[in-house]
Amino acid sequence: MTKTSTVHRICTTFKNRYVKLLSLSLALATSAQAQVSKAPAYPLITHNPYFSVWSNTDTLNKSVTHHWTGQEQSLLGVVKVDNQFYRFMGQAEIQYKPVLSIAEEQPYSCQYLIDAQPASGWQNADFNDADWKSGAAPFGDDRAKAGTAWTGSDLWMRRKFTLDKLPEGQMMLRVFHDDGAEVYLNGHLISTIQGANGDYEPFPLTAEAKSFLKTGNNVLAIHCKNTGGGSWLDAGLEYQVISKSPIDVKLASQTGVNVSATQTTYNFKCGAVDMKVVFTSPLVLNNLALLANPVSYITYQASSNDGRQHQVSILQGVSSNLAVNRPYQEVQANAYTKNGFNILKAGTTEQPLLQKRGDNLRIDWGYVYVAAAGAKQYISSSSDAEQSFYKSQLSSGTNRTGKQLMLNTVIPVGAVGKAPVSKFIAVGYDDLYSVQYFTNNLKPWWRNSQGATMDGVLSQSVKDYNSVLAQCRATDSKIYQDAKAAGGESYAQLGVLAYRQSVAAHQLVKSPEGELLFLSKENFSNGSINTVDVTYPSAPLYLLYNPELLKGMLNGIFYYSESGKWTKPFAAHDLGTYPIANGQTYGEDMPVEECGNMIILTAAIVKAEKNPAYAKKHWNTLTTWTNFLAQAGFDPENQLCTDDFAGHLAHNANLSVKAIVAIGAYAQMAAQLGDNATAAKYTAMAKEMAQKWEQIANAGDHYALVFKNNETWSQKYNMVWDKVLKLNLFPQKVYDTELKYYLTRQNEFGLPLDSRKTYTKSDWILWTAAMADNASDFNALVNPVYQFAIKTPSRVPLTDWHETVDGRMIGFQARSVVGGYFMKVLRNKMEQK
């Protein structure tokens, strides 16, 4: 047999298997019960903090898809039905052309002054700045390695440029400022920007501001004021490039959307053809191999709605922006075949492995992959992706270098009648190394298997499509049904919304000591890695469905103390700034908060597993932390707690509850270890503290936020663990009094966190609700949170910090803490143990 015929046979066999798998699993992919039809944002591809793509509009084709941080990461879908084109997914990425590049795109120098008030008229084009200093941008703190150091209070900069002709499109000011800035163009104030934005952000210029540009010489002048903390300034000008399609392209009519725990399903009417599109990210918590698999599926199902046959083909574009931090980073893209199917691959040419850390960042090392069988693949610029499909001008090149490229897959669905015809593609990401852990670069979990390669993972993912979809269906059903049984329909929908977001805010790796590490990123709340008071609210989801993952959230903190790298008598706040976990970088300790969190969660693991082995392993450390709480926990000094955004607080009654519960939890673990003397000692201590707490926190019809200040109040969400662990430290009248009072303090979108502000934390509301012993009180607290989730005007992945008056996001988004929504399910389950 010839080599050519052998290859043909293998490819044919593979394609037949592909079709068979798809047909067998079709019911599995589409039969999961429709659970959520409205969300602040819709998860599409969600694996970890870097590989995470969302749609921020209710209709999939009404916006460009985004990374959770808000940066565009385009997924573009067009279907051709006979000779008519319909766009069903995303929009073309907005293209900008620089008039004046920012420093990261093109290095530049300009004139500047630091903390030296300039003469009047410094912003004008004809101002004489000969005595100003000259320096390279950006200007800032130690992050500005290639620029000019600026750690003072005030910075003035003047940047001169020349234009041969004026740009025609919408003008944008792109600026990274820390803190506020006043921006002038040729002496005219064009923008006043408050605060710090943490990343380059575009600001549209008015027609009047654009009119200040002129041919010849121009000056962009900026005054930036640093009010404390970090400092940064870099800015440029750009204009939007408008391109019009010569082809009649219609928008597919979206007829439905349903979100379940692992899948998001859209339904469309594309003229005479109906189409279903399913995004599946197999985040199955009780299967670590599947959980760690860096591959999602996009499934397409087409059927005729007029009784006739129609020719159908689909263009699926995946932007190379999935593999960059900034869209102007250069990428290398390749097309090749492996194991009988076609593969596209793209990544930055620079490959700066683990060289950046921070919050508002995307990955710019490793590679994004798109794999499909029986499809045509090609690489184009982002702006040419649709046009090439419309004109059937598909590039045949296998390699391309550039910026904002599109990885295109054209799927020939073929003749479609009444019977549905289905195809799927696989989209994956190989990050090579995921995090740095005490100077060791750690591979993603799946790479710990001997001989593991991304090509092999993609191949296996296609072969396992049927079984993976079955596990996803089972997971979707269980998550929804467990939550519905515990708290009803609205509560179940909140749980479904929380599931993928919480899981995908972590990265799964193995430590050098061989321990599982499930490391969170503190998304949009400072970017810390493995923050203990983020693990704490996230914990219920993982206690329910895989306590090993919660251990993976605690293991690094225990190691930090037990290795001697952290020497304080209380638990650390974090392990660093994502993805660098070399030690705490948060500027202030939370002694009572983090000790209490670690002890309570260890006790919860012991109870969930009915086995004290994990506590025994760390008993000396737990004892040190418990003794710290015995001395400093009951009446906390002025310090931060997990609600650090609210500021420092002394005599915090809710933080005191945490210390008391933690001491009681330590006693419970001692009893399980057979140390009855220690158990008796600390049980007595916790009960005595609880009695004293009741006296000094008592404010009549409620219990105070601050001891002996009856005008204050707060949610005592930490008290829920007294119920969950069945410690019986606080009498029922405390719960009854608090819950009755809370119901008088609610606003339209929930119960405020405390008496200081009207904002709230939705995870804490659901913990507070879980303390209720009747459905009426529980629903009264949960329903306003559900209303927030479906009505908030903040169209981002679910925020856990919102305003209860108008439902707007205050801060935070896409955080793992929404795993805490499962507290009611956890309480019910723990009551059976």
Side-chain angles (χ1 to χ4, degrees), residues 45 93 138 148 255 300 364 429 435 497 501 504 529 546 569 631 658 675 680 720 728 744 812:
I45 297 175
E93 291 175 327
T148 301
T255 58
Y300 317 87
D364 57 4
Y429 203 98
V435 300
L497 286 176
Q501 173 173 313
I529 186 170
N546 192 346
Q631 295 296 317
K658 179 170 289 183
D675 187 349
V720 71
N728 301 316
T744 70
F812 309 160

PDB file of all heavy atoms in Angstrom, residues 45 93 138 148 255 300 364 429 435 497 501 504 529 546 569 631 658 675 680 720 728 744 812:
ATOM      1  N   ILE A  45     -15.916  30.825  26.475  1.00  0.00           N
ATOM      2  CA  ILE A  45     -14.761  29.947  26.670  1.00  0.00           C
ATOM      3  C   ILE A  45     -14.132  30.336  27.998  1.00  0.00           C
ATOM      4  O   ILE A  45     -13.606  31.443  28.143  1.00  0.00           O
ATOM      5  CB  ILE A  45     -13.749  30.096  25.525  1.00  0.00           C
ATOM      6  CG1 ILE A  45     -14.378  29.653  24.200  1.00  0.00           C
ATOM      7  CG2 ILE A  45     -12.481  29.300  25.813  1.00  0.00           C
ATOM      8  CD1 ILE A  45     -13.485  29.891  22.993  1.00  0.00           C
ATOM      9  N   GLU A  93     -13.531  43.174  14.978  1.00  0.00           N
ATOM     10  CA  GLU A  93     -12.787  43.992  15.930  1.00  0.00           C
ATOM     11  C   GLU A  93     -12.643  45.411  15.383  1.00  0.00           C
ATOM     12  O   GLU A  93     -12.402  45.619  14.197  1.00  0.00           O
ATOM     13  CB  GLU A  93     -11.400  43.408  16.181  1.00  0.00           C
ATOM     14  CG  GLU A  93     -11.426  42.104  16.950  1.00  0.00           C
ATOM     15  CD  GLU A  93     -10.049  41.479  17.073  1.00  0.00           C
ATOM     16  OE1 GLU A  93      -9.230  41.635  16.145  1.00  0.00           O
ATOM     17  OE2 GLU A  93      -9.802  40.835  18.085  1.00  0.00           O
ATOM     18  N   PRO A 138       7.208  55.148  28.961  1.00  0.00           N
ATOM     19  CA  PRO A 138       6.277  55.765  29.895  1.00  0.00           C
ATOM     20  C   PRO A 138       6.981  56.335  31.122  1.00  0.00           C
ATOM     21  O   PRO A 138       8.127  55.994  31.400  1.00  0.00           O
ATOM     22  CB  PRO A 138       5.362  54.589  30.283  1.00  0.00           C
ATOM     23  CG  PRO A 138       6.259  53.391  30.189  1.00  0.00           C
ATOM     24  CD  PRO A 138       7.156  53.664  29.023  1.00  0.00           C
ATOM     25  N   THR A 148      10.928  56.396  32.041  1.00  0.00           N
ATOM     26  CA  THR A 148      11.538  57.359  32.956  1.00  0.00           C
ATOM     27  C   THR A 148      10.898  57.237  34.322  1.00  0.00           C
ATOM     28  O   THR A 148       9.665  57.222  34.439  1.00  0.00           O
ATOM     29  CB  THR A 148      11.352  58.788  32.415  1.00  0.00           C
ATOM     30  OG1 THR A 148      11.971  58.875  31.121  1.00  0.00           O
ATOM     31  CG2 THR A 148      11.975  59.803  33.353  1.00  0.00           C
ATOM     32  N   THR A 255     -32.996  33.781  18.699  1.00  0.00           N
ATOM     33  CA  THR A 255     -34.309  33.434  19.240  1.00  0.00           C
ATOM     34  C   THR A 255     -34.244  32.897  20.666  1.00  0.00           C
ATOM     35  O   THR A 255     -35.292  32.673  21.273  1.00  0.00           O
ATOM     36  CB  THR A 255     -34.983  32.383  18.347  1.00  0.00           C
ATOM     37  OG1 THR A 255     -34.139  31.223  18.251  1.00  0.00           O
ATOM     38  CG2 THR A 255     -35.215  32.944  16.949  1.00  0.00           C
ATOM     39  N   TYR A 300     -22.025  23.459  16.307  1.00  0.00           N
ATOM     40  CA  TYR A 300     -22.990  24.115  15.425  1.00  0.00           C
ATOM     41  C   TYR A 300     -23.982  23.057  14.929  1.00  0.00           C
ATOM     42  O   TYR A 300     -23.585  22.007  14.437  1.00  0.00           O
ATOM     43  CB  TYR A 300     -22.301  24.734  14.209  1.00  0.00           C
ATOM     44  CG  TYR A 300     -21.018  25.451  14.524  1.00  0.00           C
ATOM     45  CD1 TYR A 300     -19.804  24.754  14.557  1.00  0.00           C
ATOM     46  CD2 TYR A 300     -21.000  26.817  14.800  1.00  0.00           C
ATOM     47  CE1 TYR A 300     -18.615  25.401  14.843  1.00  0.00           C
ATOM     48  CE2 TYR A 300     -19.816  27.481  15.093  1.00  0.00           C
ATOM     49  CZ  TYR A 300     -18.622  26.753  15.119  1.00  0.00           C
ATOM     50  OH  TYR A 300     -17.458  27.399  15.407  1.00  0.00           O
ATOM     51  N   ASP A 364       0.470  36.789  27.400  1.00  0.00           N
ATOM     52  CA  ASP A 364       1.145  37.043  26.121  1.00  0.00           C
ATOM     53  C   ASP A 364       2.290  36.066  25.902  1.00  0.00           C
ATOM     54  O   ASP A 364       3.266  36.371  25.226  1.00  0.00           O
ATOM     55  CB  ASP A 364       1.620  38.496  26.012  1.00  0.00           C
ATOM     56  CG  ASP A 364       2.546  38.934  27.136  1.00  0.00           C
ATOM     57  OD1 ASP A 364       2.894  38.089  27.988  1.00  0.00           O
ATOM     58  OD2 ASP A 364       2.944  40.116  27.156  1.00  0.00           O
ATOM     59  N   TYR A 429      -5.816  26.344  24.649  1.00  0.00           N
ATOM     60  CA  TYR A 429      -4.683  27.238  24.947  1.00  0.00           C
ATOM     61  C   TYR A 429      -3.620  26.471  25.720  1.00  0.00           C
ATOM     62  O   TYR A 429      -3.911  25.826  26.725  1.00  0.00           O
ATOM     63  CB  TYR A 429      -5.116  28.466  25.760  1.00  0.00           C
ATOM     64  CG  TYR A 429      -4.143  29.605  25.592  1.00  0.00           C
ATOM     65  CD1 TYR A 429      -4.406  30.621  24.687  1.00  0.00           C
ATOM     66  CD2 TYR A 429      -2.938  29.645  26.283  1.00  0.00           C
ATOM     67  CE1 TYR A 429      -3.499  31.651  24.477  1.00  0.00           C
ATOM     68  CE2 TYR A 429      -2.022  30.658  26.075  1.00  0.00           C
ATOM     69  CZ  TYR A 429      -2.307  31.669  25.177  1.00  0.00           C
ATOM     70  OH  TYR A 429      -1.405  32.683  24.960  1.00  0.00           O
ATOM     71  N   VAL A 435       2.233  29.438  36.347  1.00  0.00           N
ATOM     72  CA  VAL A 435       2.547  30.349  37.441  1.00  0.00           C
ATOM     73  C   VAL A 435       3.983  30.104  37.898  1.00  0.00           C
ATOM     74  O   VAL A 435       4.569  29.051  37.626  1.00  0.00           O
ATOM     75  CB  VAL A 435       1.600  30.180  38.662  1.00  0.00           C
ATOM     76  CG1 VAL A 435       0.149  30.434  38.276  1.00  0.00           C
ATOM     77  CG2 VAL A 435       1.760  28.805  39.286  1.00  0.00           C
ATOM     78  N   LEU A 497     -25.174  30.880  37.359  1.00  0.00           N
ATOM     79  CA  LEU A 497     -24.384  32.029  36.933  1.00  0.00           C
ATOM     80  C   LEU A 497     -23.013  32.058  37.592  1.00  0.00           C
ATOM     81  O   LEU A 497     -22.029  32.486  36.989  1.00  0.00           O
ATOM     82  CB  LEU A 497     -25.129  33.327  37.263  1.00  0.00           C
ATOM     83  CG  LEU A 497     -26.323  33.684  36.392  1.00  0.00           C
ATOM     84  CD1 LEU A 497     -27.005  34.937  36.920  1.00  0.00           C
ATOM     85  CD2 LEU A 497     -25.899  33.893  34.946  1.00  0.00           C
ATOM     86  N   GLN A 501     -17.858  31.019  36.363  1.00  0.00           N
ATOM     87  CA  GLN A 501     -17.046  32.182  36.724  1.00  0.00           C
ATOM     88  C   GLN A 501     -16.104  31.863  37.870  1.00  0.00           C
ATOM     89  O   GLN A 501     -14.920  32.197  37.827  1.00  0.00           O
ATOM     90  CB  GLN A 501     -17.944  33.357  37.101  1.00  0.00           C
ATOM     91  CG  GLN A 501     -17.170  34.558  37.644  1.00  0.00           C
ATOM     92  CD  GLN A 501     -18.049  35.761  37.853  1.00  0.00           C
ATOM     93  OE1 GLN A 501     -18.847  36.125  36.981  1.00  0.00           O
ATOM     94  NE2 GLN A 501     -17.909  36.408  38.994  1.00  0.00           N
ATOM     95  N   ALA A 504     -13.303  29.289  36.801  1.00  0.00           N
ATOM     96  CA  ALA A 504     -12.354  29.824  35.823  1.00  0.00           C
ATOM     97  C   ALA A 504     -11.501  30.960  36.369  1.00  0.00           C
ATOM     98  O   ALA A 504     -10.649  31.481  35.652  1.00  0.00           O
ATOM     99  CB  ALA A 504     -13.100  30.287  34.574  1.00  0.00           C
ATOM    100  N   ILE A 529      -2.548  36.606  44.033  1.00  0.00           N
ATOM    101  CA  ILE A 529      -2.693  35.182  43.775  1.00  0.00           C
ATOM    102  C   ILE A 529      -2.870  34.450  45.102  1.00  0.00           C
ATOM    103  O   ILE A 529      -2.164  34.703  46.071  1.00  0.00           O
ATOM    104  CB  ILE A 529      -1.481  34.630  42.978  1.00  0.00           C
ATOM    105  CG1 ILE A 529      -1.698  33.159  42.587  1.00  0.00           C
ATOM    106  CG2 ILE A 529      -0.174  34.819  43.721  1.00  0.00           C
ATOM    107  CD1 ILE A 529      -0.657  32.620  41.596  1.00  0.00           C
ATOM    108  N   ASN A 546     -15.775  18.949  45.375  1.00  0.00           N
ATOM    109  CA  ASN A 546     -14.446  18.335  45.411  1.00  0.00           C
ATOM    110  C   ASN A 546     -13.581  19.022  46.463  1.00  0.00           C
ATOM    111  O   ASN A 546     -12.849  19.981  46.144  1.00  0.00           O
ATOM    112  CB  ASN A 546     -13.755  18.386  44.053  1.00  0.00           C
ATOM    113  CG  ASN A 546     -12.520  17.495  44.013  1.00  0.00           C
ATOM    114  OD1 ASN A 546     -12.032  17.053  45.056  1.00  0.00           O
ATOM    115  ND2 ASN A 546     -11.998  17.238  42.831  1.00  0.00           N
ATOM    116  N   PRO A 569       3.043  35.061  63.427  1.00  0.00           N
ATOM    117  CA  PRO A 569       2.216  34.066  64.133  1.00  0.00           C
ATOM    118  C   PRO A 569       0.779  33.996  63.637  1.00  0.00           C
ATOM    119  O   PRO A 569      -0.083  33.437  64.311  1.00  0.00           O
ATOM    120  CB  PRO A 569       2.266  34.559  65.585  1.00  0.00           C
ATOM    121  CG  PRO A 569       2.406  36.039  65.472  1.00  0.00           C
ATOM    122  CD  PRO A 569       3.280  36.271  64.262  1.00  0.00           C
ATOM    123  N   GLN A 631      -5.799  35.312  71.808  1.00  0.00           N
ATOM    124  CA  GLN A 631      -5.261  36.533  72.403  1.00  0.00           C
ATOM    125  C   GLN A 631      -5.806  37.793  71.742  1.00  0.00           C
ATOM    126  O   GLN A 631      -6.058  38.803  72.419  1.00  0.00           O
ATOM    127  CB  GLN A 631      -3.724  36.532  72.276  1.00  0.00           C
ATOM    128  CG  GLN A 631      -3.035  35.432  73.062  1.00  0.00           C
ATOM    129  CD  GLN A 631      -3.245  35.588  74.562  1.00  0.00           C
ATOM    130  OE1 GLN A 631      -3.169  36.682  75.109  1.00  0.00           O
ATOM    131  NE2 GLN A 631      -3.533  34.467  75.219  1.00  0.00           N
ATOM    132  N   LYS A 658     -15.920  35.711  63.602  1.00  0.00           N
ATOM    133  CA  LYS A 658     -15.030  34.811  62.868  1.00  0.00           C
ATOM    134  C   LYS A 658     -14.020  34.172  63.811  1.00  0.00           C
ATOM    135  O   LYS A 658     -13.756  32.958  63.742  1.00  0.00           O
ATOM    136  CB  LYS A 658     -14.303  35.567  61.756  1.00  0.00           C
ATOM    137  CG  LYS A 658     -13.331  34.708  60.957  1.00  0.00           C
ATOM    138  CD  LYS A 658     -12.824  35.422  59.712  1.00  0.00           C
ATOM    139  CE  LYS A 658     -13.923  35.542  58.694  1.00  0.00           C
ATOM    140  NZ  LYS A 658     -13.467  36.164  57.431  1.00  0.00           N
ATOM    141  N   ASP A 675      -8.151  14.275  70.908  1.00  0.00           N
ATOM    142  CA  ASP A 675      -7.532  15.085  71.965  1.00  0.00           C
ATOM    143  C   ASP A 675      -8.650  15.774  72.745  1.00  0.00           C
ATOM    144  O   ASP A 675      -8.961  16.949  72.545  1.00  0.00           O
ATOM    145  CB  ASP A 675      -6.580  16.107  71.343  1.00  0.00           C
ATOM    146  CG  ASP A 675      -5.770  16.868  72.384  1.00  0.00           C
ATOM    147  OD1 ASP A 675      -6.092  16.764  73.585  1.00  0.00           O
ATOM    148  OD2 ASP A 675      -4.825  17.573  71.984  1.00  0.00           O
ATOM    149  N   ALA A 680     -11.992  20.257  74.965  1.00  0.00           N
ATOM    150  CA  ALA A 680     -12.753  20.842  76.068  1.00  0.00           C
ATOM    151  C   ALA A 680     -12.288  22.261  76.372  1.00  0.00           C
ATOM    152  O   ALA A 680     -13.103  23.171  76.599  1.00  0.00           O
ATOM    153  CB  ALA A 680     -12.608  19.966  77.312  1.00  0.00           C
ATOM    154  N   VAL A 720     -22.556  32.104  59.880  1.00  0.00           N
ATOM    155  CA  VAL A 720     -23.150  30.962  59.195  1.00  0.00           C
ATOM    156  C   VAL A 720     -22.376  29.681  59.471  1.00  0.00           C
ATOM    157  O   VAL A 720     -22.946  28.578  59.491  1.00  0.00           O
ATOM    158  CB  VAL A 720     -23.256  31.231  57.672  1.00  0.00           C
ATOM    159  CG1 VAL A 720     -21.890  31.210  57.000  1.00  0.00           C
ATOM    160  CG2 VAL A 720     -24.197  30.236  57.020  1.00  0.00           C
ATOM    161  N   ASN A 728     -22.861  25.220  67.580  1.00  0.00           N
ATOM    162  CA  ASN A 728     -23.830  25.623  68.613  1.00  0.00           C
ATOM    163  C   ASN A 728     -23.235  26.605  69.608  1.00  0.00           C
ATOM    164  O   ASN A 728     -23.434  26.500  70.825  1.00  0.00           O
ATOM    165  CB  ASN A 728     -24.378  24.395  69.350  1.00  0.00           C
ATOM    166  CG  ASN A 728     -25.066  23.430  68.414  1.00  0.00           C
ATOM    167  OD1 ASN A 728     -25.839  23.845  67.547  1.00  0.00           O
ATOM    168  ND2 ASN A 728     -24.769  22.139  68.545  1.00  0.00           N
ATOM    169  N   THR A 744     -35.745  44.674  57.482  1.00  0.00           N
ATOM    170  CA  THR A 744     -36.198  46.073  57.522  1.00  0.00           C
ATOM    171  C   THR A 744     -35.192  47.015  56.867  1.00  0.00           C
ATOM    172  O   THR A 744     -35.462  48.213  56.749  1.00  0.00           O
ATOM    173  CB  THR A 744     -36.426  46.526  58.977  1.00  0.00           C
ATOM    174  OG1 THR A 744     -35.157  46.644  59.666  1.00  0.00           O
ATOM    175  CG2 THR A 744     -37.314  45.551  59.727  1.00  0.00           C
ATOM    176  N   PHE A 812     -14.894  45.245  41.314  1.00  0.00           N
ATOM    177  CA  PHE A 812     -14.741  43.787  41.243  1.00  0.00           C
ATOM    178  C   PHE A 812     -15.583  43.211  40.086  1.00  0.00           C
ATOM    179  O   PHE A 812     -16.706  43.631  39.854  1.00  0.00           O
ATOM    180  CB  PHE A 812     -15.150  43.064  42.532  1.00  0.00           C
ATOM    181  CG  PHE A 812     -14.552  43.570  43.801  1.00  0.00           C
ATOM    182  CD1 PHE A 812     -15.139  43.291  45.024  1.00  0.00           C
ATOM    183  CD2 PHE A 812     -13.391  44.326  43.802  1.00  0.00           C
ATOM    184  CE1 PHE A 812     -14.586  43.732  46.213  1.00  0.00           C
ATOM    185  CE2 PHE A 812     -12.835  44.779  44.986  1.00  0.00           C
ATOM    186  CZ  PHE A 812     -13.439  44.491  46.199  1.00  0.00           C
TER     187      PHE A 812
END
